[in-house]
Amino acid sequence: MLCFVLAASLAAAPAPRAASAPETLIHIPRMDALQGLTAFLERAGQPAAMLRPDVWFAELHPFLSLDPRQPDTLTRAGIDPASPLTLSLLPSGRISCTRLADPKLFQERAAAMLQTANPKLTEVKATTSAGLTSVLVPRDSGGDIGYALKGKEACAFASVSGGFVDDGQGKVLFKEASRLVGQTPKADARMGKLPGSLYVSIPKRGLTVGLDGSATALQVEGTGMNLPLPAFQSSGTSPYGTVMPTGLLFSRARLSPAGMSDAMDHVRALLQQVCPACPQAELSSITRAVSGRLTGNVLLAVDGVRPRPNLRTPDGRFFASRQALVAEVKDPAAVKSALAPLAKFPGARVLEEGYALDLKGGTLLLRLQGRHLALGNDETVASSLLSVVPTQGAKLPHAVTFTVDPARVASGLKQVSLMDVVADKSLAGIFTVGLELGPLLSRSKDIEGWLDSLPGGGHRFSSRWTLPATP
């Protein structure tokens, strides 16, 4: 019975006609089923030009202009609008495979377009052998372009320009396209486990994502085997299950013992970075002792970004956002004892329920209140989190749940200036995101999602980006 179930699931899974070892793979099971996703992109693209469908659809084929929103752009090229499209991106170029409704019409349209790639050619001639029809054209600007066709399957390719020297990559892509049209594509089990009208896969990173949407929401769900995330427990009861989301980022999580240890190692490294005068051996001893006395239930809140933060130093970046982390402890007395050495750290102040470390960029706070330990860089955020911890917990549907306030994210991104990028090039990506997506984020309603661990060390994740009902 299990074999039949597995066979049925694989049969229903998307079957991309994918090249060998692509860097990125994009698969659309049906080009006429993208209306929901394109509706979101059209609306999101008004304030964020990089999300406009025209930008993405221009990359679907090496030499044909295809727009799944307009089926006639497909039928005029002899392509079946109800068929799949698979785009394989490789270091040497790209291959786009489609199913044809009219092979002859496709050849006529392809010949006209390929003629423009090399005006010196008087005619684009196709070669047919053993049922395989193919064209290879050297581009006037360098590199090769063409297609392979067998029956109603066509794979078009274009190599990355190697200048005016033939580097042979075009012939490699030509051979791969010829192989692809002659084989039955294999079902992709990872894609088959995910909902979506469009799939993106990055094999080397073990990442597969399914996307779908509507005019008001984008749904993203995926799996990753090499994500920089700790291991989580299965869904279960959390003491923070009923705490209401607030701030720029709000998240509840249930970490496994190994995940908790990894998280505390990250905390230790971060504290060592912002407090270089803190004794490293004692800091490591404290974090190990505390890590072993945590249940794995944690609550994270980032309220927002401070005005004009100093983003050019590690301590400045640490204190740029107002944030706090609350973790449930198994043995409050043992944790209190483990924290005692903090009293002798440079800049330390003993508080009624914990300690404060006065550092160069601000003050780091640790408070132990009952069975909950708070670590934060803002007194208001830390105290607020501790004050709303309920007396009874609630079951979480997933190991991690999170909410994001897009407007606060947009406001925070504005704090990254061009001069910050000049001083630290690592901030260029954040600065670019602010320019490109900031206007869309400021008009968005909310972003929410969840994560779970998978057997073998991977993760499954889901996120929903919602826009207001009316623009």
Side-chain angles (χ1 to χ4, degrees):
M1 177 63 74
L2 180 61
C3 293
F4 287 115
V5 172
L6 179 61
S9 64
L10 290 175
R17 196 174 290 274
S20 300
E23 289 189 332
T24 302
L25 180 70
I26 298 172
H27 180 64
I28 304 172
R30 285 184 62 119
M31 285 184 282
D32 62 353
L34 288 176
Q35 297 92 336
L37 182 58
T38 56
F40 178 88
L41 294 176
E42 285 173 349
R43 187 172 168 194
Q46 294 175 14
M50 67 177 292
L51 294 181
R52 292 172 184 168
D54 293 343
V55 174
W56 298 97
F57 290 160
E59 303 298 322
L60 290 180
H61 201 277
F63 53 80
L64 295 177
S65 296
L66 306 181
D67 187 342
R69 295 169 300 177
Q70 303 177 37
D72 62 312
T73 66
L74 304 171
T75 55
R76 286 201 306 267
I79 297 173
D80 181 2
S83 69
L85 180 146
T86 304
L87 176 63
S88 301
L89 302 177
L90 303 105
S92 57
R94 54 181 171 151
I95 300 176
S96 180
C97 295
T98 54
R99 185 171 301 149
L100 306 179
D102 189 333
K104 183 178 180 181
L105 185 58
F106 171 82
Q107 288 185 262
E108 293 173 353
R109 185 69 179 276
M113 297 305 298
L114 293 175
Q115 182 77 49
T116 64
N118 191 339
K120 296 177 183 178
L121 294 178
T122 57
E123 183 182 1
V124 174
K125 294 184 179 180
T127 301
T128 300
S129 176
L132 176 71
T133 299
S134 59
V135 172
L136 176 68
V137 174
R139 281 188 307 223
D140 195 42
S141 58
D144 295 310
I145 193 168
Y147 67 86
L149 185 160
K150 189 169 186 178
K152 291 192 173 183
E153 304 295 340
C155 289
F157 63 89
S159 65
V160 176
S161 174
F164 295 101
V165 178
D166 184 2
D167 57 6
Q169 292 302 315
K171 294 180 177 62
V172 173
L173 291 178
F174 170 75
K175 184 177 180 180
E176 179 70 354
S178 300
R179 180 187 71 83
L180 288 174
V181 296
Q183 293 186 344
T184 301
K186 296 180 180 179
D188 190 307
R190 290 187 180 179
M191 291 183 183
K193 295 177 182 178
L194 301 171
S197 59
L198 182 149
Y199 296 89
V200 179
S201 176
I202 305 178
K204 289 183 179 180
R205 297 185 181 180
L207 182 66
T208 303
V209 177
L211 298 93
D212 209 342
S214 66
T216 58
L218 173 66
Q219 181 69 38
V220 179
E221 190 161 337
T223 58
M225 298 306 296
N226 302 305
L227 298 179
L229 295 170
F232 303 111
Q233 299 182 44
S234 59
S235 59
T237 300
S238 166
Y240 314 119
T242 59
V243 180
M244 295 301 294
T246 184
L248 183 154
L249 168 66
F250 180 91
S251 178
R252 309 176 189 88
R254 287 171 45 82
L255 280 74
S256 69
M260 197 73 249
S261 178
D262 291 342
M264 288 301 293
D265 284 343
H266 176 73
V267 169
R268 178 199 54 75
L270 186 60
L271 294 180
Q272 190 69 60
Q273 190 175 45
V274 299
C275 182
C278 293
Q280 184 172 355
E282 290 188 28
L283 186 58
S284 297
S285 178
I286 292 171
T287 53
R288 283 197 303 270
V290 171
S291 176
R293 293 173 171 85
L294 299 177
T295 66
N297 288 309
V298 298
L299 176 66
L300 172 67
V302 180
D303 184 64
V305 177
R306 291 184 171 90
R308 302 184 64 81
N310 177 15
L311 299 174
R312 306 176 193 182
T313 63
D315 52 301
R317 288 192 286 271
F318 176 77
F319 286 101
S321 58
R322 301 183 298 275
Q323 57 184 303
L325 173 73
V326 175
E328 184 187 28
V329 304
K330 302 174 185 176
D331 187 341
V335 171
K336 183 177 181 180
S337 177
L339 295 175
L342 289 172
K344 297 181 180 180
F345 276 34
R349 290 183 285 116
V350 179
L351 305 176
E352 183 178 354
E353 295 179 314
Y355 302 89
L357 294 179
D358 294 323
L359 307 175
K360 183 178 179 180
T363 300
L364 180 67
L365 299 152
L366 288 98
R367 291 187 181 278
L368 180 61
Q369 184 175 297
R371 296 178 60 85
H372 307 285
L373 175 65
L375 170 66
N377 65 5
D378 186 278
E379 171 69 26
T380 302
V381 178
S383 298
S384 176
L385 275 188
L386 286 172
S387 68
V388 296
V389 174
T391 56
Q392 289 187 334
K395 184 176 175 61
L396 294 181
H398 296 280
V400 181
T401 60
F402 65 87
T403 61
V404 176
D405 184 332
R408 292 199 189 194
V409 174
S411 177
L413 291 172
K414 289 180 181 179
Q415 303 303 321
V416 184
S417 69
L418 182 59
M419 295 309 298
D420 289 328
V421 176
V422 172
D424 187 347
K425 293 182 180 179
S426 66
L427 297 172
I430 299 176
F431 181 73
T432 301
V433 170
L435 289 178
E436 293 289 343
L437 296 181
L440 172 62
L441 289 166
S442 64
R443 302 181 191 183
S444 298
K445 184 179 179 182
D446 59 58
I447 300 173
E448 61 182 8
W450 53 262
L451 296 97
D452 283 317
S453 287
L454 293 174
H459 295 84
R460 181 160 182 155
F461 56 89
S462 176
S463 180
R464 186 175 182 85
W465 183 340
T466 306
L467 303 177
T470 57

